[in-house]
Amino acid sequence: MVLIFVLCQCCHSKKTETAPKRPNIVFIMSDDHAYQAISAYNSTLIQTPNIDRLASEGMLFTNASVTNSICAPSRAVILTGKHSHINGKIDNLSPFDTTNVTFPQLFKTAGYQTAMFGKLHFGNNPKGFDEFKILPGQGDYYNPKFITSTGDTIVKGYVTDIITDLTIDWMDKRRDTTKPFLLMYLHKAPHRSWLPEQRHYTTYSKKTFPLPSTLFDDYSTRGTAAKTAEMNLLKHMHLGYDNKLTQETFNTLNMDDTGLRNGAIKRMSEEQKAQWDSIYNPINDEFIAQFPTMTDSTLMVWKYQRYMQDYLGCIAAVDENVGRLLQYLDTHQLSDNTVVVYTSDQGFYLGEHGWFDKRFMYNESFKTPLLIKWPHKIHPGTTQTELVQNLDFAQTFLEIAGIQAPEDMQGKSLVPLLKGEKERWDRDAVYYHYYEYPAEHAVKRHYGIATKSYKLIHFYYDVDEWELYDNEKDSHELNNVYENPDYADIVKDLKAKLETLRIQYKDSDTLNNHYIQIYKDKGYIK
Ligand code: SGN
Ligand code: CA
């Protein structure tokens, strides 16, 4: 493999005078950004004009999904172009195996300047970057710490603004204008526990949002996994930690069953805290007044509104900052030769099925936003309905840059789709596998297959349950029709396809057992 890269480098250095300029790539990823909260997908919750620009000037993918809906594994899939069971990063707990080859390393070897700013969440530093400034673990919203190759530093301010400042500062001051660049600009927002910046919580805390039709889902038409998951707004969202009620409020109401407090607020400076209190204290006062007459359903709706106010307030900052970055590219004549990608490490529940968080192969967490702008190649304003995954990014970027992808990468370059050459695209199903059970939110392990019309899921380990959804008739995935005789042929067909995919991607029961044994050895499960 080393030989191939050396050869590539040689070809490249010969080509530089004559070949067309290789495009820059700006990869923007936020954390837990639901597609429902991007106005190009759904305009009922928030307006995101800057992110939407990538759709109006490029391509909007409506069937983009992840292979494993959880943060660090998704990032490992993106960087390696390999499924979790191959790259080894099956969950947020295990360290990333840095002997994996990642696409930024290939870019660097091929002569690109490379930089990463923001959230990685690997527990180790990224390889293949000329410069990086990353948050430790999940990172903090206010006055966050960053890890750099020369030591740690705390930067005062709000994380989404700071990550953008660092990114723009790098482009402005340390970019090598003789080279194309690969820039990974990775937001922490809108990850739990959803702390917006003052300019946004001031306005968003006054808004009310439409309720999802499945907010009061009782899961009766699905299996054990949906019934036992711990991500219900009423039951599992903390009034203190998530909804920002204070200790004084709990004392006043004589409540002692409210779960965690929000420690992140302690990082605020006195001034930041005073501004926060001026908005959040009245919310606490209103809650105290309303609480005596609240029923379960009014409390559910109250929690949903509080959740949306803070979550969407965080996204407002992401959108503004994406606007700043695009503006920088425009004013420095970089836009024309830069591919800009916007995505999230996975989708998220915004009250659908009564839930927050992710992990399931059901739509809101399985699907992820994906918008790509590539001037002169993508026809502006195109909607793409083909099944694509985060697994495909590495090979896509490598092809765009003219770098040979290693043979063992498991995705598919999206370049034919980007260029409108659908005849060069033949995928009819995608594979999924989630492992992190038992863990926070208690989502059971499962793998499955999705086509444009159906989704077949197998929950395994402490249950053995199959679910089938007819996505054309049941867009909210409320009815498991696995046992319905009308679907017997479809089940048979999908099981055969699933087996083919498992063989193609080299996943198997043997590997399941291997990863279960690791959990047993570590004492996570019995
Ligand atoms: C934290 C969150 C969880 C979330 C995981 C994984 N809890 O543990 O709600 O599912 O991260 O998220 S919190 O109390 O720390 O907020 S991920 O995006 O990093 O995978
Ligand atoms: Ca995430």
Side-chain angles (χ1 to χ4, degrees):
M1 197 167 317
V2 171
L3 182 68
I4 301 173
F5 302 147
V6 173
L7 283 175
C8 278
Q9 229 187 343
C10 298
C11 318
H12 166 63
S13 49
K14 268 202 199 129
K15 267 195 211 160
T16 39
E17 292 117 55
T18 49
K21 266 173 74 185
R22 293 181 295 172
N24 309 308
I25 296 181
V26 176
F27 180 76
I28 313 173
M29 185 160 73
S30 46
D31 192 349
D32 294 359
H33 192 169
Y35 57 86
Q36 309 90 292
I38 292 179
S39 43
Y41 287 96
N42 166 36
S43 58
T44 64
L45 291 175
I46 188 170
Q47 290 302 313
T48 51
N50 297 297
I51 297 171
D52 290 5
R53 240 189 92 181
L54 302 179
S56 60
E57 296 176 19
M59 191 172 273
L60 179 79
F61 289 79
T62 56
N63 263 319
S65 62
V66 293
T67 62
N68 182 1
S69 180
I70 181 98
C71 180
S74 167
R75 290 153 202 265
V77 167
I78 290 170
L79 288 172
T80 62
K82 293 176 184 169
H83 276 280
S84 306
H85 58 271
I86 301 291
N87 70 46
K89 183 91 179 102
I90 58 162
D91 55 33
N92 274 346
L93 311 165
S94 54
F96 176 68
D97 173 359
T98 55
T99 63
N100 276 296
V101 173
T102 63
F103 81 82
Q105 289 171 277
L106 305 181
F107 269 70
K108 190 162 157 35
T109 311
Y112 267 71
Q113 193 185 13
T114 55
M116 176 188 276
F117 300 101
K119 178 170 170 183
L120 177 63
H121 199 197
F122 270 4
N124 42 39
N125 291 344
K127 280 188 170 172
F129 290 93
D130 292 310
E131 181 171 328
F132 65 83
K133 284 199 176 69
I134 55 169
L135 297 162
Q138 297 284 11
D140 279 296
Y141 276 103
Y142 278 86
N143 311 321
K145 186 188 202 180
F146 285 85
I147 299 169
T148 77
S149 55
T150 52
D152 296 353
T153 166
I154 289 180
V155 186
K156 293 223 166 79
Y158 185 68
V159 71
T160 308
D161 299 334
I162 295 168
I163 292 170
T164 314
D165 293 344
L166 296 173
T167 303
I168 290 180
D169 185 65
W170 176 80
M171 284 200 285
D172 218 35
K173 305 213 176 79
R174 291 181 300 290
R175 196 165 64 79
D176 178 347
T177 51
T178 66
K179 289 180 174 179
F181 65 88
L182 164 72
L183 176 60
M184 301 195 78
Y185 163 55
L186 310 172
H187 284 294
K188 170 201 168 52
H191 191 272
R192 196 182 184 193
S193 56
W194 318 301
L195 269 63
E197 210 278 340
Q198 187 208 1
R199 64 189 187 278
H200 296 120
Y201 64 65
T202 306
T203 50
Y204 276 75
S205 62
K206 309 276 187 300
K207 294 185 190 239
T208 50
F209 300 93
L211 305 182
S213 60
T214 55
L215 183 66
F216 294 99
D217 192 349
D218 64 3
Y219 319 113
S220 59
T221 48
R222 265 129 302 143
T224 310
K227 293 185 181 83
T228 55
E230 295 173 1
M231 42 198 248
N232 181 275
L233 271 79
L234 182 66
K235 293 190 191 145
H236 308 108
M237 185 173 263
H238 298 293
L239 282 167
Y241 182 71
D242 295 311
N243 299 140
K244 324 292 185 326
L245 293 184
T246 61
Q247 185 60 50
E248 294 72 46
T249 299
F250 299 131
N251 294 347
T252 309
L253 291 172
N254 261 330
M255 288 168 80
D256 58 5
D257 60 341
T258 47
L260 297 161
R261 302 287 171 268
N262 200 312
I265 292 171
K266 291 209 180 99
R267 293 188 67 86
M268 292 177 180
S269 67
E270 271 182 33
E271 194 193 347
Q272 288 165 337
K273 180 68 167 51
Q275 286 165 345
W276 176 272
D277 286 345
S278 73
I279 299 296
Y280 284 82
N281 283 352
I283 293 173
N284 276 257
D285 295 342
E286 274 169 41
F287 184 81
I288 293 170
Q290 286 171 23
F291 186 70
T293 58
M294 272 182 167
T295 61
D296 275 1
S297 72
T298 51
L299 181 58
M300 177 73 149
V301 171
W302 184 89
K303 283 178 141 189
Y304 167 76
Q305 297 297 353
R306 281 274 45 254
Y307 168 36
M308 284 302 93
Q309 289 162 359
D310 289 347
Y311 179 91
L312 296 169
C314 290
I315 286 172
V318 172
D319 186 66
E320 271 180 20
N321 279 285
V322 167
R324 284 178 64 204
L325 183 111
L326 296 179
Q327 184 67 39
Y328 182 92
L329 296 175
D330 286 348
T331 51
H332 292 78
Q333 286 76 49
L334 288 165
S335 291
D336 206 45
N337 194 36
T338 300
V339 178
V340 184
V341 178
Y342 187 89
T343 191
S344 168
D345 60 344
Q346 13 65 209
F348 212 68
Y349 295 92
L350 304 184
E352 299 88 355
H353 305 291
W355 284 335
F356 64 104
D357 215 70
K358 57 256 176 179
R359 299 159 191 264
F360 275 113
M361 198 189 169
Y362 306 134
N363 273 338
E364 289 78 2
S365 43
F366 172 60
K367 287 193 180 185
T368 198
L370 179 62
L371 304 88
I372 305 182
K373 172 180 182 261
W374 188 7
H376 314 296
K377 300 282 189 209
I378 295 177
H379 186 70
T382 312
T383 298
Q384 181 56 257
T385 59
E386 290 303 315
L387 300 164
V388 305
Q389 290 199 290
N390 58 347
L391 180 71
D392 302 323
F393 294 164
Q395 279 147 284
T396 305
F397 302 151
L398 289 166
E399 184 174 348
I400 289 174
I403 305 168
Q404 180 73 42
E407 298 237 312
D408 59 353
M409 282 190 173
Q410 297 184 304
K412 236 171 156 28
S413 165
L414 304 180
V415 167
L417 295 179
L418 301 178
K419 290 186 174 168
E421 297 162 0
K422 269 202 184 171
E423 62 288 356
R424 293 208 288 128
W425 184 262
D426 61 355
R427 181 187 275 158
D428 63 356
V430 289
Y431 183 62
Y432 182 86
H433 197 153
Y434 171 81
Y435 298 83
E436 201 182 287
Y437 178 75
E440 202 174 353
H441 305 298
V443 173
K444 292 191 182 298
R445 284 173 173 242
H446 55 293
Y447 62 86
I449 180 173
T451 65
K452 279 188 184 168
S453 309
Y454 299 102
K455 198 178 282 172
L456 178 73
I457 312 177
H458 185 202
F459 292 93
Y460 71 98
Y461 179 59
D462 63 346
V463 289
D464 180 8
E465 292 180 14
W466 290 84
E467 295 184 6
L468 174 72
Y469 294 94
D470 180 337
N471 291 90
E472 279 171 16
K473 291 200 182 133
D474 178 21
S475 60
H476 296 300
E477 300 177 321
L478 287 168
N479 299 305
N480 172 17
V481 290
Y482 180 76
E483 302 286 356
N484 181 333
D486 293 348
Y487 290 88
D489 288 347
I490 286 161
V491 167
K492 204 171 149 213
D493 196 40
L494 285 173
K495 278 195 172 172
K497 271 205 170 92
L498 176 60
E499 206 35 50
T500 309
L501 283 187
R502 276 163 74 79
I503 292 167
Q504 178 191 327
Y505 291 130
K506 302 187 171 64
D507 201 1
S508 63
D509 288 345
T510 314
L511 259 184
N512 295 351
N513 292 335
H514 164 72
Y515 284 122
I516 285 171
Q517 190 58 46
I518 291 177
Y519 274 34
K520 285 186 176 163
D521 293 346
K522 290 190 173 168
Y524 299 154
I525 53 177
K526 292 206 173 83

